[in-house]
Amino acid sequence: MKINVNANSRNIKILLPTRLIFSDLSAIIACKKIEKATITNDGKETLDPELKELLKGIIKDCCRTLRLTKKKYPGFVLVDVESASGEKIVITL
């Protein structure tokens, strides 16, 4: 994954390993963070258990889909945004 930021006279390029970011381990960590964020201080859960399982499935499917998309369509543009002042951000797989 490449993140390119063109702001005024500065160009920033960030390369991130897609396999690491969208791995099953990352999906599990994200699910655990969602679980912790939905528990209140008195120990009550704010999310329905069925909804929590649905979110876990969606996160894992999204990670898998993005990995497969990178294989099938290398250089696929996820985000291409340009502000009114000329700053531009492009995220590609």
Side-chain angles (χ1 to χ4, degrees):
M1 173 183 282
K2 296 178 204 173
I3 301 173
N4 294 328
V5 179
N6 299 328
N8 299 331
S9 63
R10 295 187 180 173
N11 293 331
I12 301 170
K13 292 184 180 183
I14 303 170
L15 300 174
L16 300 169
T18 306
R19 184 67 187 165
L20 179 65
I21 294 171
F22 298 119
S23 68
D24 289 336
L25 177 63
S26 297
I28 291 169
I29 291 171
C31 292
K32 292 291 181 185
K33 290 293 184 180
I34 290 172
E35 285 181 20
K36 287 183 182 179
T38 59
I39 296 175
T40 59
N41 291 337
D42 57 352
K44 294 182 182 177
E45 293 186 14
T46 57
L47 269 182
D48 185 32
E50 292 177 5
L51 181 59
K52 229 190 292 190
E53 290 301 317
L54 180 64
L55 283 174
K56 287 180 185 180
I58 290 172
I59 290 171
K60 289 179 182 179
D61 287 345
C62 286
C63 288
R64 187 178 311 116
T65 302
L66 285 170
R67 284 193 312 262
L68 293 174
T69 301
K70 181 178 179 178
K71 278 185 184 178
K72 193 170 183 179
Y73 307 104
F76 184 77
V77 177
L78 290 175
V79 176
D80 188 0
V81 178
E82 188 170 350
S83 70
S85 60
E87 298 156 342
K88 188 172 182 178
I89 299 175
V90 179
I91 301 176
T92 57
L93 287 178

